[in-house]
Amino acid sequence: MANFKTQQTMKRNLFFVLLIFIGFNLNAQKSGIEFFFVENYKNLNSDCKYCFDLETANLESIPILNEEDIKHFNWKDQQIILTEKGKHKFTDLKIPLSGLPIVITLNGRKIYGLWFWNAVSSFGCDRVFAFPTIDFKIQFGLPKNYSFGTDPRFDEKLREYVVSKYNQ
């Protein structure tokens, strides 16, 4: 009887170790910089067309871009250079004229919202945006000086990560 209890305890312990291992692996997938499409969001301010509440924004479960897709992130110029694999992700993506809401995360933590902008759009954007199919330069306010609120692009934790990872 004691031998049976010992086996049961060992199986239970092995099961818990396996669960912890799976948990670490799932957490490891949420590392580095990732870009997620926003499924639903609430506008924060009626005076701002492209503001959305970062905390309540529902993100898709799989990122559109992750670390494997980023060749370089120039912090000073706020420009991302994509790998060929990363560029390919935009081949069939239809970005509407009014843009696609995106959230950038660092190690699973939401950093800020931005908009992927259509290359031929004549819409203005009062928040953070980028033309990922042109130069992927992350900017604030389009046209210049047409912006609402504080520029969120220069998050300190993101800066530390980018400067370290991309040798700047």
Side-chain angles (χ1 to χ4, degrees):
M1 185 73 167
N3 194 18
F4 178 74
K5 286 185 178 183
T6 303
Q7 287 179 346
Q8 291 290 71
T9 302
M10 286 177 57
K11 285 180 182 178
R12 192 174 322 124
N13 289 343
L14 183 60
F15 177 73
F16 286 122
V17 168
L18 182 61
L19 284 178
I20 290 169
F21 178 74
I22 290 170
F24 280 127
N25 279 341
L26 290 174
N27 193 34
Q29 292 173 4
K30 297 282 186 196
S31 65
I33 297 170
E34 294 178 310
F35 291 79
F36 289 87
F37 288 126
V38 177
E39 294 176 335
N40 291 329
Y41 64 89
K42 286 190 244 177
N43 192 329
L44 275 177
N45 189 314
S46 61
D47 294 333
C48 178
K49 182 160 175 73
Y50 291 98
C51 294
F52 62 84
D53 184 12
L54 190 61
E55 296 307 313
T56 61
N58 293 327
L59 309 183
E60 287 193 358
S61 59
I62 299 173
I64 177 67
L65 296 171
N66 61 35
E67 290 280 328
E68 295 174 5
D69 304 312
I70 301 171
K71 182 188 267 183
H72 186 70
F73 189 143
N74 182 319
W75 182 255
K76 182 180 171 210
D77 293 335
Q78 288 290 297
Q79 184 172 22
I80 294 176
I81 308 299
L82 296 174
T83 63
E84 288 305 314
K85 178 184 170 204
K87 290 176 189 175
H88 183 69
K89 290 183 176 183
F90 291 95
T91 304
D92 295 325
L93 180 65
K94 303 289 186 230
I95 300 175
L97 292 176
S98 58
L100 279 174
I102 304 292
V103 168
I104 184 172
T105 67
L106 177 62
N107 298 328
R109 186 181 129 240
K110 294 176 183 177
I111 301 295
Y112 63 83
L114 69 147
W115 293 80
F116 281 172
W117 220 245
N118 186 304
V120 297
S121 178
S122 62
F123 283 64
C125 185
D126 51 9
R127 292 301 292 163
V128 179
F129 70 95
F131 292 98
T133 59
I134 299 176
D135 61 3
F136 213 132
K137 193 167 191 168
I138 303 171
Q139 302 174 63
F140 185 62
L142 174 71
K144 199 171 184 80
N145 299 322
Y146 174 66
S147 56
F148 185 90
T150 306
D151 186 349
R153 295 176 297 160
F154 300 98
D155 178 85
E156 185 57 28
K157 291 205 181 295
L158 182 59
R159 184 195 69 76
E160 289 173 8
Y161 181 83
V162 168
V163 167
S164 172
K165 171 130 179 113
Y166 298 101
N167 302 319
Q168 298 174 51

